Amino acid sequence: MPVPPSLLRSRIFDGLTDAERDQWLGRATSVALKRGETLARQGEPARHFYLVETGFLKVLQLTVEGTELIVRFVGAGEPFGGVVALGNAPYPVTATATQPSVMRAWTRESLATLLAATPQVSVNIMREMAAHMTDALTRVRELTTARVGPRLAQTLLRLARQCGERHPEGVLISQPLTRQEFADLTGTTLYTVSRTLTKWETMGLLQTRQRLVLLRSLPRLEEIAGSDED
């Protein structure tokens, strides 16, 4: 079967030959999730490493107060569960499907065998985990130092890089998101996010379409992201 483009371009397989990549895919099983289904839960033993083939995952972390925080989204070609490569560790987060999704999955045992044969993938997994940590630290800095406007602009630009699709009028964030999810990602209230998005829509910077957001002026949003605008 032809390899889906999302897997061909996955950074997890950087540095591998086609034969080595095919060996990995040949050892994987396929996991399909309906919208709202949970792939892994925080605190459970990490037994599988996943690569998203199609769809989108929302990654959440439960605080000691019982509040769910959106950590990040995982799109096509991106991994989840890299902690499996570190040994007997639990999943540090919960992952749920925000739309019908298909994953390629490797058991802990299969992963160990494949990593021994192609250690480059260990480097790739660690690189992705480091990128996620850097992104998390960046968001913490934004939450503590930036005003709401720049934080929301940064959130939109981050999503555009991850799941943006070229459109005649700009870049469409292809993952449907509620305004509450934007508020959670930005660390502010639903009211503030709604007010800011409405203001930017009036200014022509973006357009909302049934939980989708079309970014019509990336340069202006980049300006806001680096400013002190509210």
Side-chain angles (χ1 to χ4, degrees), residues 9 19 63 82 94-95 106 114 119 123 126 136 143 145 164 172 192 194:
R9 64 174 179 263
T63 68
T94 294
W106 292 266
L114 289 164
V123 176
M126 293 304 107
L143 290 173
T145 64
L172 180 69
T192 301
S194 295

Side-chain angles (χ1 to χ4, degrees), residues 110 192 205:
S110 294
T192 301
L205 305 186

Side-chain angles (χ1 to χ4, degrees), residues 122-202:
S122 292
V123 176
N124 297 342
I125 291 174
M126 293 304 107
R127 180 195 60 208
E128 294 303 299
M129 292 177 69
H132 294 157
M133 179 62 70
T134 299
D135 183 62
L137 292 173
T138 298
R139 287 185 59 205
V140 169
R141 187 187 70 244
E142 291 170 0
L143 290 173
T144 55
T145 64
R147 297 172 70 90
V148 172
R151 294 207 309 265
L152 181 55
Q154 288 155 356
T155 296
L156 291 169
L157 293 169
R158 193 176 291 121
L159 288 167
R161 289 191 295 270
Q162 184 178 23
C163 60
E165 296 179 356
R166 287 293 171 186
H167 186 276
E169 298 180 46
V171 175
L172 180 69
I173 296 175
S174 60
Q175 166 59 30
L177 294 170
T178 66
R179 294 199 170 187
Q180 183 60 60
E181 287 172 326
F182 277 118
D184 293 342
L185 284 167
T186 308
T188 189
T189 64
L190 173 61
Y191 170 77
T192 301
V193 161
S194 295
R195 183 191 64 189
T196 306
L197 289 177
T198 299
K199 172 185 172 183
W200 290 351
E201 190 160 10
T202 301

Side-chain angles (χ1 to χ4, degrees), residues 108-126:
R108 180 192 299 277
E109 295 74 22
S110 294
L111 187 69
T113 300
L114 289 164
L115 290 177
T118 49
Q120 176 61 41
V121 180
S122 292
V123 176
N124 297 342
I125 291 174
M126 293 304 107

